Amino acid sequence: MSEIFKQIPLYRFISYCDDTGLDKTVLDCGAGGDCPPLSLFSEYGYLTQGIEFSTSQLEEAEKYAKKKNQNLNIEQGDMRKLKFADETFSFVYSYNSVFHMKKEEVLKSVNEMKRVLKKDGLFFVNFLTVKDFRCGQGGNLGDNQYEQLDDNMPVIHSYYEEEEADVYFKDMKILFKETRVVERIFEGIPIRQGFVDYIAVKR
Amino acid sequence: MSEIFKQIPLYRFISYCDDTGLDKTVLDCGAGGDCPPLSLFSEYGYLTQGIEFSTSQLEEAEKYAKKKNQNLNIEQGDMRKLKFADETFSFVYSYNSVFHMKKEEVLKSVNEMKRVLKKDGLFFVNFLTVKDFRCGQGGNLGDNQYEQLDDNMPVIHSYYEEEEADVYFKDMKILFKETRVVERIFEGIPIRQGFVDYIAVKR
């Protein structure tokens, strides 16, 4: 039996994708890191494609895929401007990633992901909420956008009210929305995280 | 690749269990139904035991296990009074089940599950919250407890404030708590569900 991936909500997304009966083509925007979830899609028979902005995260993913002998097709790219044609993929997702930019850029990214998604295809995306313990910390850029430090590197985090991101799906149908507050121990310290996850279908 | 189980939060629980390095023995309280999650534990190499109050749910689980050629060891039982000795299992869980009784009985059940759990073992349990769309419907038994109908059968549902169930874990350490509001389409109708999930370790 294979490992359990830490991106738990994507198990549900795969289940929704499987149920559509569409061609198993999937794009991950923000696909890098040392545990790339496209590997899970690959195990479930999906043809995968990923883009990743950070070259170091890209290298981590390549190392992982090589070790598992998988070809995940992850390359350097920017989700604000995808190189793919309209309606290329049955499924598109971005997990714990799109909120690392200002909201005006989040909007661009969401629109790009919707553009490359086929009609009747499914879109998963999630956002940080204002209930997250880090909302309010760091350099205030207004509208719950903050410049913060991740591993001593400056990173923007955009935080959303629980209904705020609904507007991104006005031209879609939301099949599943989960608003979550997680309390857990991270590196010995109790933290509280706030997320809102969406699964929507393109009309 | 095997199916995706619909009890998504249990993927996380397995991941926590795997990380402990304890013997892979697990008890599910409320283990029946047509998609018994012990099957997932079995796939991950766990020695499984389950109890189920409802004989019809028990039969569904047996049918499923037979088809998959698994022996899940699910038998008829009552989680308010477990027949197992103290500290029998490394892992004990009850998923979407314990709230089908009055809160005084939930307390009994939680105490029983903690009793049969080994020291350093992990406990997963979840509860409905007062944010659930059905909270307030049906016969009011007080303290957010209602007698409602599931498939035309009378069933009690107990609903909890988001911090209310914390008291059950006063003698444990909570490793993970997730408070969730789910909006989804169920049999064509939009519904809103409220849950709070706990993973705690026995001291």
Side-chain angles (χ1 to χ4, degrees), chain A residues 10-70:
Chain A
L10 293 181
Y11 283 93
R12 180 183 293 106
F13 184 53
I14 292 178
S15 177
Y16 270 83
C17 293
D18 281 353
D19 285 349
T20 64
L22 296 177
D23 282 351
K24 295 177 126 186
T25 56
V26 62
L27 173 68
D28 181 347
C29 293
D34 61 4
C35 177
L38 278 180
S39 172
L40 181 64
F41 283 81
S42 178
E43 286 178 16
Y44 277 90
Y46 285 74
L47 204 62
T48 68
Q49 178 91 50
I51 62 143
E52 170 58 49
F53 193 73
S54 149
T55 47
S56 65
Q57 295 286 300
L58 187 61
E59 280 164 21
E60 293 279 0
E62 278 167 357
K63 218 183 296 175
Y64 176 97
K66 199 170 171 187
K67 211 165 62 187
K68 277 186 89 165
N69 205 20
Q70 288 179 323

Side-chain angles (χ1 to χ4, degrees), chain A residues 1-4 8 11-12 14-15 43-44 174-185, chain B residues 1-4 8 11-12 14-15 43-44 175-185:
Chain A
M1 196 65 199
S2 57
E3 75 190 296
I4 300 229
I8 301 292
Y11 283 93
R12 180 183 293 106
I14 292 178
S15 177
E43 286 178 16
Y44 277 90
I174 297 172
L175 301 181
F176 180 91
K177 176 182 174 184
E178 187 169 50
T179 311
R180 320 184 267 125
V181 174
V182 174
E183 291 163 274
R184 65 186 178 96
I185 317 285
Chain B
M1 196 64 198
S2 58
E3 74 191 296
I4 300 231
I8 302 291
Y11 283 93
R12 179 182 294 107
I14 293 178
S15 177
E43 287 178 15
Y44 277 91
L175 301 180
F176 180 91
K177 176 182 174 184
E178 187 169 50
T179 311
R180 321 184 266 126
V181 174
V182 173
E183 291 163 275
R184 64 187 179 95
I185 317 284

Side-chain angles (χ1 to χ4, degrees), chain A residues 7-136:
Chain A
Q7 300 91 346
I8 301 292
L10 293 181
Y11 283 93
R12 180 183 293 106
F13 184 53
I14 292 178
S15 177
Y16 270 83
C17 293
D18 281 353
D19 285 349
T20 64
L22 296 177
D23 282 351
K24 295 177 126 186
T25 56
V26 62
L27 173 68
D28 181 347
C29 293
D34 61 4
C35 177
L38 278 180
S39 172
L40 181 64
F41 283 81
S42 178
E43 286 178 16
Y44 277 90
Y46 285 74
L47 204 62
T48 68
Q49 178 91 50
I51 62 143
E52 170 58 49
F53 193 73
S54 149
T55 47
S56 65
Q57 295 286 300
L58 187 61
E59 280 164 21
E60 293 279 0
E62 278 167 357
K63 218 183 296 175
Y64 176 97
K66 199 170 171 187
K67 211 165 62 187
K68 277 186 89 165
N69 205 20
Q70 288 179 323
N71 186 0
L72 302 179
N73 298 307
I74 305 177
E75 56 188 76
Q76 211 279 334
D78 185 340
M79 68 175 103
R80 293 166 295 193
K81 197 170 165 46
L82 295 171
K83 67 167 197 179
F84 309 106
D86 296 359
E87 312 205 346
T88 301
F89 302 96
S90 300
F91 312 109
V92 176
Y93 71 90
S94 184
Y95 179 84
N96 279 8
S97 186
V98 78
F99 46 73
H100 290 114
M101 49 183 115
K102 292 192 72 176
K103 291 182 183 179
E104 62 192 55
E105 295 170 295
V106 174
L107 175 60
K108 273 188 203 166
S109 302
V110 166
N111 283 338
E112 277 292 89
M113 290 190 273
K114 284 155 66 171
R115 180 182 65 74
V116 302
L117 183 63
K118 284 185 181 163
K119 196 175 162 302
D120 300 324
L122 300 188
F123 179 32
F124 174 100
V125 64
N126 68 351
F127 305 91
L128 292 171
T129 70
V130 295
K131 290 194 174 166
D132 197 279
F133 78 117
R134 293 180 77 188
C135 181

Side-chain angles (χ1 to χ4, degrees), chain B residues 66-78:
Chain B
K66 200 171 171 185
K67 212 166 63 189
K68 278 186 90 163
N69 203 21
Q70 289 179 324
N71 186 1
L72 302 178
N73 297 307
I74 306 177
E75 56 190 75
Q76 210 279 334
D78 185 339

